[in-house]
Amino acid sequence: MRVHKLTIAALAVAAGLSLTACQGDSDNADGQSTGSSNSSSSSNGGKDSGGTDTDGKSADGENTAVGGGGSDGGSGSGSGKGSGTDSETAKCLTDHLEVTAADGTVGGDQEETVVVGFKNAGAKDCLLKGYAGVDLKTNYGRVSAERTGQEADPVVLKSGEDVFFGVTYPKNDSGGSGVRVEGLVVTPPNETKSVTLDWPGKASLPVTEDGSGTPVRVGPIGSAGQGG
């Protein structure tokens, strides 16, 4: 039976992020699960140490997770948000970030958009440089987002502050069921530990016979405003 190719550049089923984790569904370097706290697996509905609902949702309905330390994402140059410099500010660790995702598509846009946010839930300022790693979990496997190539300025994130970036993906106007999106995996820049969120965007991506079409893309840290 012939399998339809995706419209995005390629499905990274075996590639993608080598380490994927959720706040409570985290994978360490040895691939072992470290807990259970996303919206599909939590049972206590309580709060974690960062004040985040352990069922993976924030009070306003956004998908939320808090996740721990390593290296994915790129670097850039320029002035950042907040205070401090690269040399005196430690990088933002996944364990100290509250990660959210929300639909950010604006009417008339040619592509759909999901806005991902990082909030510094730690006590100290921290540094984000470059691009986050982003993968879409689908019924066909993992789809890795391509970088847009925009300049990635460093961002010094003060305690309690947040910053946002966009993930764009093609609309499914094919009339078919397409490729079902089942989750969003986010790895902060220069980290290896990821968080897994519920997918807040449209339910599916289009497919084509030859695999051509618009890829999923991720912008640098700070490339989107709150809510899009």
Side-chain angles (χ1 to χ4, degrees):
M1 178 178 68
R2 181 175 60 182
V3 177
H4 292 297
K5 295 181 180 178
L6 294 182
T7 186
I8 38 78
L11 278 177
V13 178
L17 297 177
S18 60
L19 303 171
T20 303
C22 158
Q23 168 191 350
D25 191 10
S26 303
D27 290 339
N28 289 324
D30 59 2
Q32 298 298 311
S33 177
T34 60
S36 174
S37 65
N38 69 10
S39 59
S40 62
S41 59
S42 174
S43 59
N44 61 15
K47 298 284 187 178
D48 61 19
S49 60
T52 303
D53 291 341
T54 55
D55 64 356
K57 298 284 186 178
S58 63
D60 59 3
E62 286 184 333
N63 299 318
T64 308
V66 177
S71 79
D72 184 28
S75 62
S77 60
S79 59
K81 181 179 180 180
S83 60
T85 65
D86 294 6
S87 61
E88 62 189 32
T89 307
K91 72 176 182 180
C92 295
L93 300 177
T94 309
D95 281 337
H96 299 158
L97 292 173
E98 181 179 298
V99 187
T100 60
D103 185 9
T105 303
V106 177
D109 285 355
Q110 296 299 308
E111 297 177 320
E112 306 283 353
T113 302
V114 164
V115 175
V116 178
F118 288 144
K119 182 175 182 178
N120 183 0
K124 298 180 179 180
D125 296 357
C126 64
L127 179 69
L128 288 168
K129 291 182 67 175
Y131 286 74
V134 171
D135 285 67
L136 274 58
K137 295 172 68 175
T138 81
N139 60 322
Y140 276 71
R142 191 72 66 84
V143 177
S144 295
E146 298 180 3
R147 296 178 181 180
T148 61
Q150 294 172 260
E151 183 178 359
D153 292 334
V155 175
V156 175
L157 203 59
K158 293 182 179 180
S159 177
E161 282 190 339
D162 43 27
V163 67
F164 301 87
F165 63 90
V167 178
T168 58
Y169 60 100
K171 296 181 178 181
N172 183 10
D173 296 327
S174 64
S177 58
V179 179
R180 187 173 68 253
V181 184
E182 301 173 337
L184 176 65
V185 183
V186 180
T187 308
N190 302 304
E191 271 284 56
T192 57
K193 190 172 183 180
S194 307
V195 296
T196 300
L197 303 170
D198 291 338
W199 173 246
K202 296 297 188 296
S204 64
L205 303 174
V207 295
T208 61
E209 291 288 338
D210 60 1
S212 63
T214 304
V216 179
R217 293 190 178 98
V218 56
I221 301 299
S223 61
Q226 185 171 6

